[in-house]
């Protein structure tokens, strides 16, 4: 996360096309961060975004990205100025069609609209920019990934700053239109509905995508390069777009044998989680990512996940995130268990479905695979800290927590809880405490001790959910799925800035 530049006070002047605050003293600068406990300076205060229109040109040979992003927003307070999270070099900013003053430092674009904005004002913010994204760092980190044939704008929790200005926190979701022009013969993949291509006069092609449901900024992505693009229709009638880098080599067939089953995995998870929440499905496989990420409607995978052959467990994990993480997103990054614990448990459910080990068997073997003295048990999935946000414990102990709930309340209440959660929190944000409260309401049980033990207490719990204590348990036979899940989680947990 960026270190916010110290802001200088702006001089308010009249602006006839802006809505003016009643008095200058009533208006204040928007906060340079939303106040997330892990990343206090993530996002910005003072406004709420409803839509991003991102229209860009990209030249792979020079890694030059240029264009405009138009942001539709509404002020949530009387404003003298506001911040956008952005690392690239902006050449102009307009607010409600008037040129605004701006400064840039440390990944922050500080905008002075030259007039105070009233609370509730509709804002149209247009930022024009051109830069080489791979040359830009924030706190020593570059999210943009240049590849041999293009680039990848894919990462968590930060990627937006390297390709579009935004309010970069999951609590400010918006719809998106993304169009990127590239030289003919280069492909562009992004989220949502594929709206086709258009040839331009200069030997370039523009690729267009639309996300019609609210989407967090880190879940918006673009993959540019040489891809085989496959389009089909899922059993529920939704369009499916999968894309495979032409540089996958020997991993190509295993990747396709996995990702092409996305509609099947989605259909199965709907039985457990409720209706699929989005307008499209798909996946992208490309070298240079180093992990997998649940980009909304179209997860992305590094080919390493398929190096040992087909791997539908990582597909189940990322598709599970479409409900847990994408539709229902974290209120703060401390709530990451709501994403990773349930996506990991989707793998246990998939294992049951394909006959490679029950959830109970996978839970027992996972529990037994970590000795009591292992540092694994010192990381708390309910509050792992920013440095351990993607630690293996968030995945494995996180899944064990979900299974502990299932064992405690029984299957009927358990799946009722999951479906009510994804329905009532659809397209919103949530906390661990809200999930615990729902679980208690549905089950009629007091579950504080269960969640305290599995999410918030260091050390190995005395017994695996539904099994014997670790001191007395007999050896458990390894489920067929275990090594596939373990390999998947090792790669997922390797995602560290």
């Amino acid at each position: 996360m960026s270190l916010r530049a110290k802001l200088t006070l702006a001089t308010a002047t009249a602006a006839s096309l802006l809505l003016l605050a009643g008095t200058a003293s009533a208006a204040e600068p928007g906060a340079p961060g939303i106040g997330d406990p892990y990343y206090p300076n993530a996002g910005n205060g003072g406004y709420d975004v409803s839509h991003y229109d991102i229209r860009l040109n990209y030249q792979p040979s020079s890694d030059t990205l240029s264009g405009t992003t138009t942001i539709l927003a509404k002020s949530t307070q009387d404003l003298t100025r506001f911040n956008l999270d952005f690392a690239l070099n902006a050449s102009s900013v307009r607010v409600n069609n008037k040129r605004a003053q701006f400064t840039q430092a440390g990944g922050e674009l500080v905008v002075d609209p030259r007039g105070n904005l009233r609370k509730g004002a509709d804002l149209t913010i247009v930022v024009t920019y051109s830069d080489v994204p791979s040359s830009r760092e924030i706190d020593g980190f570059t999210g943009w990934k240049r590849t041999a044939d293009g680039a990848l704008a894919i990462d968590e929790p930060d990627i937006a700053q390297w390709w579009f200005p935004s309010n970069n926190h999951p609590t400010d979701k918006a719809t998106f239109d993304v169009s990127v022009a590239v030289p003919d013969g280069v492909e562009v993949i992004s989220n949502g509905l594929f709206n086709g291509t258009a040839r331009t006069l200069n030997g370039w092609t523009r690729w267009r995508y639309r996300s019609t449901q609210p989407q967090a900024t880190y879940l918006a992505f673009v993959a540019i390069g040489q891809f085989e693009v496959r389009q089909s229709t899922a059993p529920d009638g939704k369009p499916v777009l999968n894309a495979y880098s032409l540089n996958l080599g020997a991993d190509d067939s295993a990747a396709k044998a996995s990702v092409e089953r996305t509609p099947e995995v989605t259909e199965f998870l709907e039985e457990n989680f409720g209706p699929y929440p989005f307008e499209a499905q798909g996946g992208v496989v490309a070298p240079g990512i180093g992990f997998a990420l649940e980009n909304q409607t179209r997860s992305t995978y590094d080919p390493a996940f398929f190096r040992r052959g087909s791997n539908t467990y990582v597909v189940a994990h990322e598709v599970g995130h479409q409900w847990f993480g994408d539709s229902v997103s974290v209120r703060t990054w401390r709530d990451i268990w709501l994403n990773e614990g349930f996506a990991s448990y989707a793998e246990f459910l998939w294992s049951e479905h394909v006959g490679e080990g029950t959830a109970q068997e996978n839970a027992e073997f996972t529990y037994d695979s970590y000795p009591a003295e292992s540092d694994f048990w010192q990381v708390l999935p309910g509050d792992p800290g920013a440095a351990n946000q993607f630690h293996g414990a968030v995945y494995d102990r996180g899944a064990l927590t979900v299974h502990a709930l299932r064992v405690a309340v029984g299957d009927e209440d358990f799946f009722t809880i999951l479906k009510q959660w994804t329905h009532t929190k659809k397209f919103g944000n949530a906390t661990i405490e809200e999930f615990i409260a729902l679980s208690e309401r549905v089950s009629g049980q007091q579950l504080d001790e269960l969640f305290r033990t599995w999410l918030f207490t260091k050390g190995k719990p005395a017994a695996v959910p539904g099994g014997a204590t670790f001191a007395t348990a007999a050896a458990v036979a390894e489920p067929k799925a275990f090594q596939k899940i373990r390999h998947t989680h090792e790669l997922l947990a390797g995602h560290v800035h």
Side-chain angles (χ1 to χ4, degrees):
M1 283 299 161
S2 64
L3 296 175
R4 307 288 168 163
K6 291 184 178 180
L7 307 179
T8 59
L9 291 176
T11 301
T13 58
S16 59
L17 296 182
L18 298 178
L19 294 174
L20 301 180
T23 63
S25 61
E28 296 180 350
I34 282 178
D36 190 295
Y38 284 7
Y39 308 108
N41 293 321
N44 307 287
Y47 63 94
D48 181 77
V49 177
S50 61
H51 183 73
Y52 294 95
D53 185 274
I54 305 168
R55 186 175 178 86
L56 303 174
N57 303 296
Y58 180 69
Q59 175 54 265
S61 62
S62 61
D63 193 37
T64 302
L65 186 74
S66 62
T68 62
T69 290
T70 301
I71 301 170
L72 302 182
K74 189 179 289 289
S75 55
T76 58
Q77 67 178 69
D78 292 344
L79 281 173
T80 59
R81 65 175 177 269
F82 59 89
N83 285 24
L84 294 168
D85 299 302
F86 196 46
L88 305 187
N89 182 45
S91 58
S92 74
V93 179
R94 286 180 174 265
V95 179
N96 291 351
N97 295 303
K98 287 189 68 69
R99 287 191 177 275
Q101 295 178 335
F102 63 93
T103 59
Q104 288 188 264
E108 290 294 303
L109 177 61
V110 184
V111 179
D112 173 5
R114 298 184 178 183
N116 296 347
L117 302 169
R118 275 196 183 277
K119 179 179 179 180
D122 291 318
L123 307 179
T124 300
I125 306 159
V126 181
V127 182
T128 302
Y129 49 99
S130 180
D131 211 336
V132 177
S134 61
S135 70
R136 294 298 180 180
E137 292 187 352
I138 301 175
D139 296 342
F141 171 71
T142 300
W144 183 267
K145 299 163 180 63
R146 192 175 184 185
T147 64
D149 55 5
L152 304 168
I154 300 166
D155 217 305
E156 180 187 11
D158 286 320
I159 190 56
Q161 298 100 308
W162 284 271
W163 68 292
F164 67 97
S166 72
N167 191 12
N168 186 43
H169 192 272
T171 52
D172 194 1
K173 297 183 180 183
T175 55
F176 283 73
D177 280 310
V178 174
S179 75
V180 182
V182 290
D184 291 347
V186 177
E187 286 75 43
V188 179
I189 317 298
S190 191
N191 310 79
L193 299 170
F194 175 47
N195 283 342
T197 61
R199 289 287 186 95
T200 66
L201 296 178
N202 59 354
W204 285 45
T205 300
R206 183 165 293 278
W207 294 68
R208 300 172 297 197
Y209 294 85
R210 170 165 289 179
S211 297
T212 62
Q213 304 297 347
Q215 178 172 276
T217 51
Y218 83 94
L219 296 172
F221 84 102
V222 65
I224 303 170
Q226 301 289 313
F227 288 91
E228 176 187 346
V229 180
R230 293 186 172 190
Q231 297 185 70
S232 60
T233 303
D236 64 0
K238 288 186 171 66
V240 180
L241 187 149
N242 296 324
Y244 304 93
S245 169
L246 299 186
N247 298 318
L248 298 183
D251 301 323
D252 179 76
S253 295
K256 290 173 179 172
S258 309
V259 176
E260 289 297 313
R261 295 179 66 182
T262 296
E264 176 193 353
V265 174
T266 302
E267 188 175 59
F268 165 70
L269 290 178
E270 282 188 303
E271 300 172 8
N272 300 279
F273 298 160
Y276 178 73
F278 298 121
E279 68 274 14
Q281 299 181 27
V284 180
V285 185
I289 305 173
F291 51 88
L293 187 60
E294 61 273 16
N295 297 313
Q296 192 160 302
T297 71
R298 195 155 292 120
S299 299
T300 52
Y301 307 88
D302 190 274
F305 287 95
F306 312 107
R307 204 135 292 159
R308 301 181 182 183
S310 64
N311 181 357
T312 52
Y313 288 97
V314 70
V315 176
H317 184 102
E318 301 307 332
V319 173
H321 271 308
Q322 301 301 312
W323 288 267
F324 293 91
D326 294 9
S327 176
V328 185
S329 301
V330 295
R331 181 75 50 78
T332 69
W333 283 107
R334 169 261 189 189
D335 298 302
I336 189 67
W337 169 74
L338 293 172
N339 293 11
E340 300 303 346
F342 288 90
S344 297
Y345 199 72
E347 298 173 71
F348 284 13
L349 295 173
W350 181 248
S351 177
E352 286 189 330
H353 177 66
V354 298
E356 294 191 344
T358 66
Q360 181 63 39
E361 290 168 342
N362 277 291
E364 290 190 32
F365 204 84
T366 299
Y367 175 87
D368 289 346
S369 68
Y370 294 101
E373 63 274 14
S374 171
D375 290 341
F376 170 89
W377 298 107
Q378 300 305 305
V379 176
L380 304 179
D383 192 1
N388 286 321
Q389 195 170 333
F390 303 107
H391 190 278
V394 178
Y395 296 84
D396 285 347
R397 188 171 178 175
L400 290 175
T401 307
V402 179
H403 191 65
L405 174 64
R406 181 179 180 182
V407 169
V409 304
D411 276 11
E412 182 176 353
D413 281 351
F414 175 73
F415 289 107
T416 297
I417 290 166
L418 300 194
K419 291 176 181 177
Q420 284 196 16
W421 180 253
T422 59
H423 173 72
T424 60
K425 296 293 185 179
K426 187 177 182 180
F427 304 143
N429 300 86
T431 67
I432 292 173
E433 288 70 25
E434 289 173 327
F435 181 81
I436 294 172
L438 174 65
S439 300
E440 292 183 334
R441 285 198 302 272
V442 171
S443 67
Q445 296 187 38
Q446 188 73 18
L447 298 170
D448 289 351
E449 183 177 355
L450 182 153
F451 286 105
R452 184 167 53 249
T453 297
W454 286 96
L455 291 181
F456 300 109
T457 303
K458 292 183 178 181
K460 186 171 185 176
V464 65
T469 67
F470 68 78
T472 62
V476 177
E478 181 177 315
K480 187 176 180 181
F482 181 78
Q483 289 300 327
K484 301 174 187 177
I485 293 174
R486 171 58 58 85
H487 176 61
T488 294
H489 286 193
E490 287 172 352
L491 292 171
L492 291 171
H495 172 211
V496 179
H497 282 183

